[in-house]
Amino acid sequence: MQKQRSILALILVLIIAAITVIVTIPTRLGLDLQGGSQLTIQVKTTPTIPKIDQGMLEAVRRIVENRVNGLGVSEALVQTVGEDQILVQLPGVNDPQQAERVLGGTAKLEFQEQLPGTETQLAIERQLQQELLAKQAELKTSNNEAAIKENQAALKRSNEAIAKLFKSSGLGGENLKDAQPQPLAAGKNWNVALRFDTQGGELFAQLTKNLAGTGRSIGIFLDERMISSPVVGVEFAETGITGGSAVIQGNFTTQEANDLAVQLRGGALPVPVEIVENRTIGASLGKDSIQSSINAGIGGLVLVLIFMVAYYRLPGIIANIALLIYALLTWAAFVLLGVTLTLPGIAGFVLSIGMAVDANVLIFERTREELRAGKSLYRSVESGFYRAFSSILDGNVTTVIACAALFWLGAGLVKGFAVTLALGVGVSMFTALTCSRTLLFVVLSFPALRKPQWFCPDLSKTANS
């Protein structure tokens, strides 16, 4: 009896801990429950890549997925659709334009060396470019489409003219190990700090050594547009800048610096892409879905609780208590492990409740068989758990194997269903074999409750026959 009391105390501690977790930590919801952004990305061909094969599509998907991870979006879905499209779902992201900028940009980074004798021409072109950029900002507030297009064409010509003043150094985004936004001393503007791999560090040292003290600059080009042109001091003429680090000084805003860092860390896209659909999924759909799911879950649970009491009497009450404990522990486990609930995930949770009930049904039916065979109530309950264990274990193991296959071979929402079902099955094993068992033996410790008819209503009829 002392052992049962210890286990009962452990169960009470777990219940209190589960309630605390559920109350203090919010449950993470998926796109279908809380809304967010959904983008469809079209992968396009080029003269050198006339056909998008599965290998190329998967490469683009991985880069997009890396950028999504950089955005810090939990439980995002990135999957290929058809032969040349990628579907991206971003739960909780309510700024689809920002997501489009980060996911659709090519982010091709190059460090180039300025050609000798082009210092004056570069200064003129840079001044012209600044004027065009300022004019572009002013034109955005107007509705003069013709003037905007003309200014954009002039900007393109200016970028092309500046690009001709530089030559390749072999150093690019493929040599990056990391890119992070870095605040300036004033705190209003930001730079982007870069860290190169070993080869990139050597190339950067050689590039800075070539330019140190010459007055010529390093051209930092992003998507073939120069965003910065730092000059290297004469003190680096002997060795260049070593250490494998550099800073893009673009006076970016916080958002611009973070977006650029995410793009650079994710890598350059090997082929052009286009956002062909950008939808914001409202939270009202999620609220309706949540309410419908809650209503269905509560309705089903109430029916199960009523059936268990009506058919199994006292053990049914014990099973219902264990079932409520199971629901609390499973919900707390979802929160602690960071599981993002989606509608399929909730379906997996509800299905695992059925598995938990099924375990209790097996135990109670075995107990009734033992009582009908003439064993004592205590021995019947003990044998019921012992005889039902192998069946419960086999059923749960096969379910977990199916969950593993779904998680390994599936994607997105299918994985969410597999995770919630497997986790629920694991907790149901604990509640059925520990909570139900402990509570039943505690009940049997009270003489007033040790009545076989409360465990097997038709026992007297069986005995008379």
Side-chain angles (χ1 to χ4, degrees):
M1 188 58 193
Q2 182 61 37
K3 179 182 178 181
Q4 305 302 331
R5 288 175 179 173
S6 300
I7 297 176
L8 187 61
L10 174 62
I11 293 172
L12 290 174
V13 170
L14 290 176
I15 292 173
I16 295 171
I19 294 174
T20 303
V21 168
I22 292 170
V23 171
T24 56
I25 304 176
T27 304
R28 294 163 63 181
L29 303 177
L31 181 69
D32 54 349
L33 298 181
Q34 70 165 326
S37 297
Q38 177 172 294
L39 297 88
T40 302
I41 299 176
Q42 178 75 46
V43 182
K44 308 178 83 173
T45 59
T46 66
T48 56
I49 305 177
K51 183 180 179 181
I52 303 298
D53 56 22
Q54 285 301 311
M56 179 60 66
L57 190 62
E58 178 61 22
V60 175
R61 189 200 67 80
R62 285 198 303 268
I63 292 173
V64 172
E65 189 172 53
N66 288 337
R67 295 184 180 182
V68 169
N69 293 336
L71 285 172
V73 180
S74 62
E75 202 66 16
L77 171 67
V78 182
Q79 64 181 24
T80 58
V81 178
E83 297 181 352
D84 57 358
Q85 287 188 337
I86 295 172
L87 178 69
V88 182
Q89 292 184 347
L90 306 172
V93 174
N94 297 315
D95 184 3
Q97 283 72 34
Q98 190 252 343
E100 182 172 338
R101 287 195 303 270
V102 174
L103 300 181
T106 56
K108 182 182 178 182
L109 181 69
E110 294 178 290
F111 290 78
Q112 299 192 10
E113 179 179 341
Q114 186 179 352
L115 298 172
T118 60
E119 293 85 350
T120 302
Q121 188 177 355
L122 177 61
I124 295 172
E125 292 293 343
R126 288 287 280 174
Q127 179 63 34
L128 175 61
Q129 188 180 63
Q130 293 301 319
E131 292 174 358
L132 290 172
L133 288 171
K135 185 178 180 181
Q136 186 76 4
E138 293 176 3
L139 289 172
K140 283 183 179 180
T141 60
S142 68
N143 294 322
N144 193 337
E145 293 292 334
I148 292 174
K149 288 182 179 180
E150 183 180 348
N151 198 72
Q152 287 176 339
L155 269 172
K156 183 179 180 181
R157 290 193 297 270
S158 176
N159 289 330
E160 292 173 350
I162 290 175
K164 293 178 181 179
L165 307 179
F166 291 83
K167 66 177 182 179
S168 174
S169 67
L171 178 61
E174 65 275 8
N175 300 115
L176 273 183
K177 289 184 67 176
D178 194 18
Q180 295 291 340
Q182 182 183 77
L184 294 174
K188 294 182 179 180
N189 295 323
W190 290 65
N191 293 333
V192 177
L194 309 177
R195 186 161 57 89
F196 300 109
D197 58 17
T198 302
Q199 181 186 17
E202 294 173 355
L203 289 172
F204 187 67
Q206 185 61 48
L207 174 62
T208 52
K209 180 181 178 180
N210 294 344
L211 295 175
T214 63
R216 292 181 286 133
S217 61
I218 301 173
I220 303 177
F221 289 82
L222 182 67
D223 296 339
E224 300 180 352
R225 179 177 65 86
M226 190 168 74
I227 58 174
S228 184
S229 56
V231 176
V232 184
V234 69
E235 65 271 21
F236 297 104
E238 187 173 344
T239 61
I241 301 176
T242 58
S245 298
V247 174
I248 300 179
Q249 298 175 335
N251 290 329
F252 305 106
T253 64
T254 305
Q255 189 65 61
E256 289 171 344
N258 185 68
D259 289 352
L260 177 57
V262 167
Q263 287 181 307
L264 295 176
R265 287 198 304 270
L269 293 166
V271 289
V273 297
E274 180 184 356
I275 309 293
V276 295
E277 184 183 36
N278 191 341
R279 291 195 296 138
T280 299
I281 298 178
S284 58
L285 174 62
K287 290 179 181 178
D288 293 340
S289 301
I290 293 173
Q291 192 59 51
S292 299
S293 302
I294 291 175
N295 292 340
I298 292 176
L301 185 60
V302 168
L303 290 175
V304 169
L305 296 179
I306 293 173
F307 168 79
M308 293 299 290
V309 174
Y311 190 77
Y312 290 105
R313 307 297 171 85
L314 184 57
I317 296 174
I318 300 298
N320 289 344
I321 295 173
L323 199 60
L324 294 175
I325 295 173
Y326 158 80
L328 276 175
L329 296 181
T330 305
W331 187 0
F334 289 162
V335 174
L336 282 177
L337 296 177
V339 175
T340 300
L341 283 182
T342 60
L343 284 178
I346 293 175
F349 176 49
V350 173
L351 183 58
S352 66
I353 291 178
M355 298 289 292
V357 173
D358 182 58
N360 284 282
V361 168
L362 287 172
I363 293 167
F364 299 155
E365 287 296 335
R366 293 289 185 269
T367 300
R368 286 186 172 187
E369 290 176 4
E370 298 298 321
L371 282 170
R372 294 189 185 106
K375 290 186 178 181
S376 67
L377 181 56
Y378 187 90
R379 291 298 179 190
S380 296
V381 172
E382 194 174 50
S383 298
F385 277 93
Y386 178 77
R387 291 183 59 193
F389 176 76
S390 59
S391 298
I392 295 171
L393 181 63
D394 290 345
N396 286 337
V397 167
T398 53
T399 302
V400 170
I401 292 173
C403 291
L406 286 174
F407 185 84
W408 183 261
L409 301 174
L413 300 179
V414 175
K415 286 188 174 183
F417 172 82
V419 168
T420 54
L421 179 56
L423 190 57
V425 166
V427 178
S428 73
M429 281 282 290
F430 170 78
T431 54
L433 300 177
T434 302
C435 296
S436 297
R437 180 187 177 91
T438 301
L439 292 173
L440 272 175
F441 282 117
V442 168
V443 166
L444 291 177
S445 66
F446 296 95
L449 299 177
R450 287 201 296 266
K451 295 181 178 181
Q453 290 79 7
W454 289 5
F455 289 77
C456 185
D458 60 346
L459 185 60
S460 56
K461 297 178 182 179
T462 305
N464 293 332
S465 63

